[in-house]
Amino acid sequence: MWALRFSRYIRGAPLGGGSHWAGLSLGSRFTQAASGRSDSRQEAAGDPRQRGLVYQNPTWQHVEQRPLPQKKVTVEVLDHLERLALVDFRDWEGVQRLEKAIQFADQLHAVNTEGVEPMDSVLEDRCLYLREDNITEGTCTEELLRNARETVEEYFIAPPGNIPLPKLEGRDTFLQVSE
Amino acid sequence: MLRVSLREISAALKEGQVTPTELCQRCLSFIKATKFLNAYITIAEETALKQAEESEERYRRGQILGDLDGIPVAVKDNFNTAGIETTCASNMLKGYIPPYNATVVQKLLDQGAVLLGKTNLDEFAMGSGSTDGIFGPVRNPWSYSRQYRDKCVQNSHPEKEDSNWLITGGSSGGSAAAVSSFTCFAALGSDTGGSTRNPAAHCGVVGLKPTYGLISRHGLIPLVNSMDVPGILTRCVDDAAIVLGVLAGHDPKDSTTVQDPFKSFELTCFTDASKLCIGIPKEYHAPGLSSETLALWSKAADLFENAGAKVIEVSLPHTRYSVVCYHVLCTSEVASNMARFDGLEYGHRSSMDKSTEVMYAATRREGFNDVVRGRILSGNYFLLKQNYENYFIKAQKVRRLIAKDFVNVFHSGIDVLLTPTTLSDTIPYVEFIKEDNRTRSAQDDIFTQAANMAGLPAITVPTALSEKGLPVGLQFIGRAFQEQQLLTVAKWFEKQVKFPMIQLQGIMDHGHTVSHHQKSAFFS
């Protein structure tokens, strides 16, 4: 197996375009393998471990993802999410996307995190510094207002607030259909 | 001429062998010639020429600002650039012109760099193919290379001109394509899960992800606040070090940058490898790794061993959970970060205005594509009260385990880890779109993701061409804030492997006819 693998590299120029690795003595190591002479590496071909080199076979496999229990993603949850995120699912594909995402994330439960603290940031053992509360720049009202679609004088215009999104029945969402 | 490295062109500019305006014009015409790659969203022709003229004046007076003075660069379209449209390849920000420059952009401009334009990406940098933006997918320049085309003929694959082109990888695909196709000398990308290193490996260029906290994120439209970093794409490791030297350092406007003073360094070539200890993480032989990449990885390990370095197998046991953990944390942070897009202050605004909530919902419905909406909804799911502990907190705990894996490995004497960057060489677009964005990201981020989890610096170096004639890169992961060591090792490796230059048939000839008329001694 080992011999086969590396004899390919002697035959052609598989690393293409005339590239070659100057520092590497291709000759001795690989021609030995190609010529079929047994050495410790060839014998080790059955054993995936190689001293200092990479494993010849994948060291883990993807886990078969379990299907979601039926009660997890109900229409109530979907409606709740649409209201929270203010983004809609639009069609069944959107819902399936969420289900697949949850299935994928469920793999985390296989990890033992007993006694482990959650990590917010990789810089957690350093102090974050805040600037002094002094005004160093500003007076850019015009520039900032320029990017908004609807403004009047120095105000951004917003539609009336404190009006919650209509309930499922009153909204234009595909989730109604699924009810 | 456009094929030389940043250092070489800088020297040429200093010696007066070429002027900044000439260089800028050549790059601009080359961008036009490579328009079919769709690497650029916005080309800032006027401002670029103006910057080039100012640079030329500085050269004339002998008062240049630094090594980057007059050098054309490109920036990914999720960095804010004053006066230049910044879209993140999304309808939400189409037509948005920021009033300020991102700190990294400002630093480049302060050094005199010439900003050619904004490059294409996946919408809001979500994806691993640079295929999901509203301006269309980016094509890999290697699709048009002689190396690839010749192999296609050899393998009797009829090369249909316009339908079988290859993806660049993502999400900084535009930046990678821009550097790879010689339209600029360096480009900025962003790296959250491998978004700089993935396209760099697929396009045969160097992609550097610095340590989290080294380079300012002020002005980078955020995806995942705890993992985003600006990334650097260049044609060689030396150039990456030059750009890093300009960009790194504390920024008072970004409180997540560290206060430690950063000293820019010049890369030396080490001659004695015996003090070096390279780690080969065994879990990085993941399912799906192509035999070619595996062979190259083995060869690289051999290379270091033959040079006298210690090459040891190590274990990062939680590697397989890295992508799942990323998936949860990313979607959660995205759900939070995307909340800022409501149409009131900037960006797209819907005409529905019965109430703020209706307006926000409609704006976001119209502005975001499926991928972004999917991630926002998933993120919100994981952050629901009933799920918070089981998903979000759990993922944060797993993140600590992953980060600790790396700490343990580096404590045991390893200097640098050597791993593959991608599962295989790049694939045609028609193949790529068979699976959805999330699946592809989960597959493609597998080697690059963990470095973002742990905040460590990583660099991908183009290593060799595959049997199809396409670039394959290998990744080095270093200790936090030890970019100098990481880049020194990477530079040595780059020198050993002598990766071949891309041969863009037809287009390069056009470029040459243009330059021929100008009789430059350096380039004759």
Side-chain angles (χ1 to χ4, degrees), chain A residues 9 24 51-55 59-60 72 85 88 90 106 111 113 117 120 124 126 128 157 159-160, chain B residues 255 260 282-283 285 295 298-299 302 305-306 311 313 320 349 356 364-365 373 391 394 396 400:
Chain A
Y9 295 109
L24 180 60
R51 180 186 51 82
L53 295 183
V54 299
Y55 266 67
T59 52
W60 55 276
K72 231 176 187 182
D88 62 328
R90 196 160 301 183
D106 278 338
V111 189
T113 51
E117 283 297 304
D120 290 314
E124 58 186 1
R126 291 172 183 257
L128 283 188
I157 302 181
Chain B
S255 67
D260 305 348
K282 67 179 187 199
E283 288 83 3
H285 189 155
S298 300
K299 247 186 129 192
D302 279 347
E305 206 173 21
N306 288 344
V311 179
E313 175 201 279
R320 75 177 74 186
R349 179 179 175 138
T356 47
R364 290 154 74 81
R365 182 198 178 104
R373 281 183 307 113
Y391 287 98
K394 182 83 182 179
Q396 287 192 311
R400 182 178 294 284

Side-chain angles (χ1 to χ4, degrees), chain B residues 25-259:
Chain B
Q25 273 158 354
R26 241 174 264 204
C27 284
L28 287 170
S29 66
F30 207 62
I31 293 176
K32 290 196 185 91
T34 51
K35 208 154 178 217
F36 55 90
L37 293 177
N38 202 17
Y40 286 82
I41 295 178
T42 310
I43 303 173
E45 192 161 338
E46 272 180 41
T47 49
L49 285 170
K50 191 158 155 275
Q51 286 161 5
E53 275 165 24
E54 288 168 4
S55 171
E56 194 160 319
E57 185 55 38
R58 287 192 292 270
Y59 273 101
R60 246 201 300 268
R61 280 190 267 122
Q63 291 171 346
I64 58 171
L65 297 167
D67 281 337
L68 287 183
D69 207 329
I71 307 280
V73 298
V75 158
K76 186 174 178 184
D77 207 14
N78 60 356
F79 285 92
N80 280 308
T81 42
I84 303 175
E85 192 184 356
T86 298
T87 62
C88 292
S90 172
N91 275 320
M92 186 57 90
L93 286 179
K94 205 166 174 193
Y96 169 63
I97 301 188
Y100 70 105
N101 276 324
T103 301
V104 288
V105 173
Q106 191 60 54
K107 284 190 174 177
L108 287 177
L109 294 176
D110 286 343
Q111 286 287 309
V114 172
L115 179 57
L116 292 175
K118 310 297 290 297
T119 57
N120 206 348
L121 62 155
D122 278 309
E123 180 154 345
F124 281 110
M126 298 188 198
S128 61
S130 298
T131 52
D132 279 322
I134 58 166
F135 297 100
V138 186
R139 299 187 183 200
N140 194 327
W142 285 84
S143 323
Y144 305 96
S145 67
R146 190 172 299 147
Q147 288 105 327
Y148 177 62
R149 292 284 172 100
D150 286 350
K151 293 281 181 182
C152 276
V153 166
Q154 271 180 32
N155 300 334
S156 53
H157 281 166
E159 184 48 28
K160 296 184 202 103
E161 188 72 31
D162 253 10
S163 62
N164 221 24
W165 50 272
L166 311 159
I167 55 159
T168 49
S171 58
S172 311
S175 292
V179 174
S180 170
S181 59
F182 308 112
T183 57
C184 63
F185 289 87
L188 286 186
S190 69
D191 197 312
T192 308
S195 293
T196 296
R197 290 162 286 156
N198 182 304
H202 284 316
C203 292
V205 296
V206 169
L208 169 65
K209 172 212 169 294
T211 313
Y212 178 82
L214 185 63
I215 298 191
S216 170
R217 286 181 302 112
H218 175 75
L220 165 60
I221 294 171
L223 191 65
V224 181
N225 297 64
S226 62
M227 291 185 231
D228 276 351
V229 283
I232 299 170
L233 294 120
T234 52
R235 290 200 275 277
C236 66
V237 177
D238 217 12
D239 294 351
I242 298 176
V243 180
L244 181 69
V246 168
L247 298 181
H250 175 65
D251 180 17
K253 292 182 184 168
D254 179 0
S255 67
T256 57
T257 49
V258 295
Q259 299 248 320

Side-chain angles (χ1 to χ4, degrees), chain B residues 348-369:
Chain B
H348 175 69
R349 179 179 175 138
S350 159
S351 47
M352 296 190 51
D353 59 358
K354 278 218 262 306
S355 71
T356 47
E357 300 238 336
V358 164
M359 192 273 277
Y360 295 165
T363 301
R364 290 154 74 81
R365 182 198 178 104
E366 293 160 21
F368 292 139
N369 74 357

Side-chain angles (χ1 to χ4, degrees), chain A residues 2 5-6 8-9 13-26 29-30 41 49-63 65 68 72-73 77-78 80-90 93-94 97-98 100-102 104-113 116-124 126-131 137 143-145 147-150 156-166 172-173, chain B residues 94 96-99 151 212-213 226 252-253 255-256 258-260 280 282-287 291 294-303 305-306 311-313 318 320-321 323-325 327-328 344-349 353-361 364-366 368 370 373-374 376-378 380-382 384 386 390-391 393-401 403 436 438 442 446 453-455 463-467 481 493 496-498 500:
Chain A
W2 186 256
R5 223 179 250 279
F6 281 92
R8 273 203 335 224
Y9 295 109
L15 299 178
S19 76
H20 59 282
W21 291 8
L24 180 60
S25 51
L26 252 180
R29 224 169 240 222
F30 299 144
R41 278 175 198 287
R49 293 176 60 90
Q50 303 284 353
R51 180 186 51 82
L53 295 183
V54 299
Y55 266 67
Q56 292 304 306
N57 295 306
T59 52
W60 55 276
Q61 290 298 333
H62 287 299
V63 171
Q65 288 177 32
L68 289 180
K72 231 176 187 182
V73 187
V77 170
L78 296 175
H80 187 45
L81 286 176
E82 278 200 347
R83 298 166 144 278
L84 275 180
L86 289 181
V87 150
D88 62 328
F89 282 97
R90 196 160 301 183
E93 222 185 294
R97 225 175 274 133
L98 174 67
K100 283 202 207 129
I102 303 172
F104 188 61
D106 278 338
Q107 290 175 62
L108 273 184
H109 298 133
V111 189
N112 180 2
T113 51
V116 181
E117 283 297 304
M119 179 186 235
D120 290 314
S121 161
V122 291
L123 299 176
E124 58 186 1
R126 291 172 183 257
C127 284
L128 283 188
Y129 292 88
L130 296 177
R131 286 189 293 171
E137 56 186 358
E143 282 179 83
L144 292 178
L145 285 173
N147 277 313
R149 287 278 167 94
E150 286 182 44
F156 294 111
I157 302 181
N162 280 332
I163 304 175
L165 215 56
D172 175 23
T173 161
Chain B
K94 205 166 174 193
Y96 169 63
I97 301 188
K151 293 281 181 182
Y212 178 82
S226 62
K253 292 182 184 168
S255 67
T256 57
V258 295
Q259 299 248 320
D260 305 348
I280 308 279
K282 67 179 187 199
E283 288 83 3
Y284 276 63
H285 189 155
S291 53
L294 175 65
L296 278 176
W297 188 21
S298 300
K299 247 186 129 192
D302 279 347
L303 187 71
E305 206 173 21
N306 288 344
V311 179
I312 308 177
E313 175 201 279
H318 295 95
R320 75 177 74 186
Y321 300 110
V323 182
V324 187
C325 182
H327 166 72
V328 175
L344 263 186
E345 291 152 9
Y346 44 74
H348 175 69
R349 179 179 175 138
D353 59 358
K354 278 218 262 306
S355 71
T356 47
E357 300 238 336
V358 164
M359 192 273 277
Y360 295 165
R364 290 154 74 81
R365 182 198 178 104
E366 293 160 21
F368 292 139
D370 290 341
R373 281 183 307 113
I376 294 174
L377 289 163
S378 309
N380 274 103
Y381 180 84
F382 297 134
L384 286 176
Q386 66 257 37
N390 287 340
Y391 287 98
I393 300 287
K394 182 83 182 179
Q396 287 192 311
K397 292 181 179 175
V398 175
R399 180 176 185 178
R400 182 178 294 284
L401 291 174
D436 75 17
R438 191 192 55 79
I446 207 154
M453 279 282 156
T463 307
L465 294 181
S466 67
E467 277 194 16
F481 300 103
F493 182 70
Q496 302 304 309
V497 303
K498 291 196 180 53

